[in-house]
Amino acid sequence: MLYLLFYQSPYYHYYTMMLSTTDWAIVILYLIGMILLSVYLSRGQKNQKDYYLGGNSTGAFPVAISIMATQCSTNSILGAPAFVAFSLGGGLLWLQYELAVPFAMIFLMIFLLPLFKRLNIISVYAYLEKRFGKETRTVLSVFFQFFRAFSAGITVYGICIVIEYCTGISFFWSVAVLGIVTVIYDSIGGMKAVIYSDVIQMVILYAAILFAIYISLDIIGGYDAAINAFDSKRLQAIDFSHTGFDGKDFAFWPMLIGGFFLYVAYYGTDQTQVQRQLSTKDAKGTNMSLFLNGMLRFPLVLTYCFLGICIGAYVVTNPDFFNDLPLKANEEPNYNLAVPIFVMQKFPIGFIGLFMVGLFSAAMSSLDSIINSLSATTMQDIVKGYFANSLNTKKEFYLSKVFTVFWGLAISAFAFFVGGISDSIIVSINKISSLANGPILGVFVMGILIKRINNVGAILGLLMGFVTNMLLWFFVPNISWLWWNVTGCVSAIVFGYFGSLINPKPIQEKVKGLVHEGKLTEAFNLSGYWGKYYLALAAYGIIMLIFLGAF
């Protein structure tokens, strides 16, 4: 077994010597601690609401930090610095994506999350059954499950190439170990363990990022030296010169508008996020978690993007560093490994272990929330939707854990097929997600804003929105994938509307409370309780734009 775990990796002879016994001890103790935490937090679980929503007893702040922790996953820690420092067309342009976040939070606080919270649902797709019918709920849920599982495979891929390179454990066994540990942890703890472990992970990981910045600046000679050494073209944070229709992906308009659609879809229709937001006590707590995420996310992203500047500047003064990066299948350096290799070379013993703990916990915290949400949608939307009469509370609780195991294995399998999608992990996961985000969002927008849409139109809109994006990917490559979030949504609405007219299947009569029937002014009430929060988010978005424009 030791031979299988270690000696099959091409990196064994060098890198296992760099991960000291102290570092291994820190990693192992942390993983054991997380499992014990999940056991402690699992006390009192009696039903699916306890398992999937933490008994609706979680505060807004832990939920907001948990959401941020998912964003600050291995995809971000590996991909964002690589994009800023090395990727073709990269640099601080990635920060333009963040300009859309505050405005997306406003939309969600007005239209989606209070509605979902009021309906007292576990799966966000339960809304679609109430609004359209069981068929729409089933199709959307299956659609989500496949794409979220595939994108989660990218997360597993990201951390496992690091585990392989830094420890000598082969990629196969890295995937196996990470998957098994995460499934055990997730099946025990449920949503409450997911949230509170995310809070711990966020503290550890952010500390590791700051320490990596400190070490790199100390080597380079300080902030001014880093900025002077870094490629000045990559310091540009705003690009008004391109539109995203000319082969240039990372321009202002596609990142602002496409980003708005992406974030509304991600935070408002993706079960992995909505499930946590619904775990609060009431709608006020849910909205507050969105507000806090909108305010705190930008400093986090700015920090790990600045780490990319530091790594890029270090490479300029130490060009031999490129020789330490392994080659991908296309014979180009694997830039996603730049940060962990820098840490392995420059961090002292013990701190390397803490950084590895950060990467492990980031991957596990992202993965366990995804597995938990996939289990929830499978159980709520498929099993209970079609086999409810044969299940009791005990069987439902048992099956919830069975589906957790199933999705953990499926995601691990996907990890072997995602390595070549892009030279940056963070681009890979956003590209895959953008295929589906727009069409899914389009169905929800039709549901909450257009009373005329029926079940046939909703399903047709979803399928045609996805087909539209696939056609753009294969036949119109000059259109940025960032626009797919818009084209998918708009196409879904257009086809859904006309599909409802061509196939006039009766619209459900009981839509009261499920559609915003011409009361947008009332919803966007600046004089009400949430008005000051809307204004604060909008002002924050403008301040962010001014700040980035100064680069």
Side-chain angles (χ1 to χ4, degrees):
M1 180 61 71
L2 288 176
Y3 174 81
L4 292 174
L5 287 175
F6 289 96
Y7 289 91
Q8 285 188 350
S9 171
Y11 311 120
Y12 167 75
H13 294 292
Y14 181 58
Y15 283 97
T16 50
M17 296 179 66
M18 295 187 65
L19 203 61
S20 69
T21 302
T22 301
D23 296 318
W24 272 116
I26 291 172
V27 171
I28 294 171
L29 287 174
Y30 176 81
L31 296 179
I32 293 174
M34 286 296 98
I35 293 176
L36 293 177
L37 175 65
S38 69
V39 172
Y40 174 77
L41 294 175
S42 68
R43 298 178 306 161
Q45 288 182 357
K46 298 178 181 178
N47 53 47
Q48 289 188 82
K49 182 161 286 190
D50 291 334
Y51 186 69
Y52 290 131
L53 296 180
N56 291 115
S57 61
T58 312
F61 186 75
V63 171
I65 298 300
S66 175
I67 294 171
M68 289 174 58
T70 300
Q71 291 296 303
C72 191
S73 64
T74 50
N75 304 319
S76 300
I77 300 307
L78 299 174
F83 178 86
V84 170
F86 307 116
S87 292
L88 182 65
L92 291 182
L93 291 173
W94 189 262
L95 290 171
Q96 293 174 122
Y97 228 169
E98 298 306 307
L99 297 174
V101 173
F103 302 101
M105 296 302 108
I106 294 173
F107 185 93
L108 294 170
M109 291 168 68
I110 294 174
F111 295 111
L112 290 183
L113 268 302
L115 172 61
F116 297 154
K117 189 66 178 176
R118 186 169 64 249
L119 293 175
N120 193 31
I121 56 180
I122 292 177
S123 167
V124 67
Y125 307 110
Y127 164 78
L128 299 177
E129 180 175 357
K130 296 176 181 294
R131 174 63 179 84
F132 297 117
K134 182 179 291 187
E135 295 88 352
T136 302
R137 175 181 184 175
T138 302
V139 171
L140 262 292
S141 181
V142 172
F143 195 71
F144 156 78
Q145 288 171 40
F146 174 78
F147 274 92
R148 181 50 62 201
F150 188 75
S151 61
I154 300 175
T155 299
V156 176
Y157 165 81
I159 186 59
C160 287
I161 59 173
V162 178
I163 295 173
E164 179 186 26
Y165 201 74
C166 296
T167 67
I169 299 175
S170 69
F171 181 79
F172 174 84
W173 284 106
S174 298
V175 172
V177 171
L178 180 65
I180 290 171
V181 172
T182 305
V183 166
I184 294 173
Y185 165 84
D186 189 46
S187 62
I188 295 173
M191 182 52 64
K192 184 173 289 187
V194 168
I195 291 174
Y196 285 102
S197 66
D198 282 352
V199 174
I200 297 172
Q201 169 253 319
M202 188 73 260
V203 173
I204 294 174
L205 192 54
Y206 196 66
I209 296 171
L210 292 177
F211 190 69
I213 291 174
Y214 170 79
I215 292 292
S216 58
L217 289 178
D218 184 61
I219 295 172
I220 298 166
Y223 174 83
D224 291 337
I227 296 298
N228 292 332
F230 193 69
D231 185 352
S232 59
K233 294 181 180 179
R234 290 181 173 272
L235 289 174
Q236 179 186 356
I238 299 289
D239 178 13
F240 290 109
S241 62
H242 297 96
T243 62
F245 298 106
D246 52 6
K248 300 291 185 181
D249 289 333
F250 307 106
F252 176 78
W253 293 113
M255 296 194 82
L256 176 66
I257 300 175
F260 174 82
F261 279 74
L262 180 146
Y263 288 127
V264 171
Y266 182 59
Y267 289 111
T269 69
D270 190 308
Q271 179 69 16
T272 62
Q273 302 304 307
V274 176
Q275 189 173 330
R276 271 179 284 192
Q277 295 156 19
L278 295 178
S279 67
T280 58
K281 182 179 180 180
D282 51 31
K284 183 177 180 180
T286 297
N287 266 8
M288 183 57 68
S289 70
L290 291 169
F291 173 78
L292 291 172
N293 182 73
M295 299 296 288
L296 297 176
R297 179 184 155 110
F298 180 70
L300 170 65
V301 177
L302 181 64
T303 303
Y304 58 67
C305 283
F306 182 67
L307 177 58
I309 293 178
C310 295
I311 296 296
Y314 171 79
V315 170
V316 170
T317 57
N318 299 269
D320 291 341
F321 180 78
F322 279 117
N323 297 329
D324 296 326
L325 297 178
L327 299 179
K328 298 179 71 174
N330 58 5
E331 298 300 320
E332 292 185 359
N334 191 336
Y335 299 122
N336 294 312
L337 283 167
V339 171
I341 290 176
F342 175 82
V343 168
M344 296 291 289
Q345 292 180 351
K346 301 301 178 181
F347 273 33
I349 291 176
F351 285 90
I352 294 175
L354 288 176
F355 184 84
M356 291 299 296
V357 160
L359 290 180
F360 266 99
S361 58
M364 293 177 66
S365 294
S366 299
L367 188 58
D368 62 18
S369 62
I370 292 171
I371 294 173
N372 190 276
S373 66
L374 290 171
S375 174
T377 51
T378 303
M379 192 66 209
Q380 294 291 314
D381 302 329
I382 308 301
V383 176
K384 291 189 70 175
Y386 295 93
F387 306 100
N389 293 334
S390 62
L391 298 176
N392 55 36
T393 301
K394 185 176 181 180
K395 287 183 179 180
E396 290 176 357
F397 195 61
Y398 172 76
L399 281 176
S400 298
K401 295 180 180 293
V402 170
F403 285 120
T404 297
V405 175
F406 167 78
W407 281 115
L409 296 176
I411 289 170
S412 298
F414 280 138
F416 293 95
F417 303 99
V418 299
I421 296 174
S422 171
D423 66 339
S424 173
I425 289 176
I426 200 169
V427 173
S428 299
I429 197 165
N430 278 276
K431 194 170 185 178
I432 292 297
S433 297
S434 293
L435 281 173
N437 282 333
I440 292 176
L441 175 61
V443 174
F444 279 89
V445 170
M446 287 188 284
I448 65 172
L449 296 182
I450 308 176
K451 186 177 181 180
R452 181 182 294 273
I453 304 296
N454 58 33
N455 191 41
V456 174
I459 295 176
L460 178 65
L462 172 72
L463 297 178
M464 293 308 299
F466 179 71
V467 169
T468 298
N469 283 346
M470 290 298 294
L471 291 174
L472 290 176
W473 189 353
F474 287 110
F475 298 108
V476 196
N478 283 338
I479 294 182
S480 170
W481 55 267
L482 294 157
W483 283 117
W484 298 348
N485 298 286
V486 183
T487 58
C489 181
V490 173
S491 297
I493 293 173
V494 171
F495 281 102
Y497 185 84
F498 286 104
S500 298
L501 296 179
I502 296 172
N503 296 279
K505 185 176 180 179
I507 303 171
Q508 292 185 19
E509 296 180 359
K510 297 180 180 180
V511 296
K512 186 176 181 181
L514 302 176
V515 179
H516 288 277
E517 302 180 69
K519 299 180 180 179
L520 302 188
T521 302
E522 179 181 336
F524 195 80
N525 184 7
L526 295 179
S527 63
Y529 178 84
W530 291 105
K532 58 183 178 294
Y533 294 99
Y534 303 152
L535 292 173
L537 286 168
Y540 189 52
I542 295 172
I543 292 171
M544 287 163 53
L545 176 60
I546 296 172
F547 174 77
L548 295 182
F551 278 87

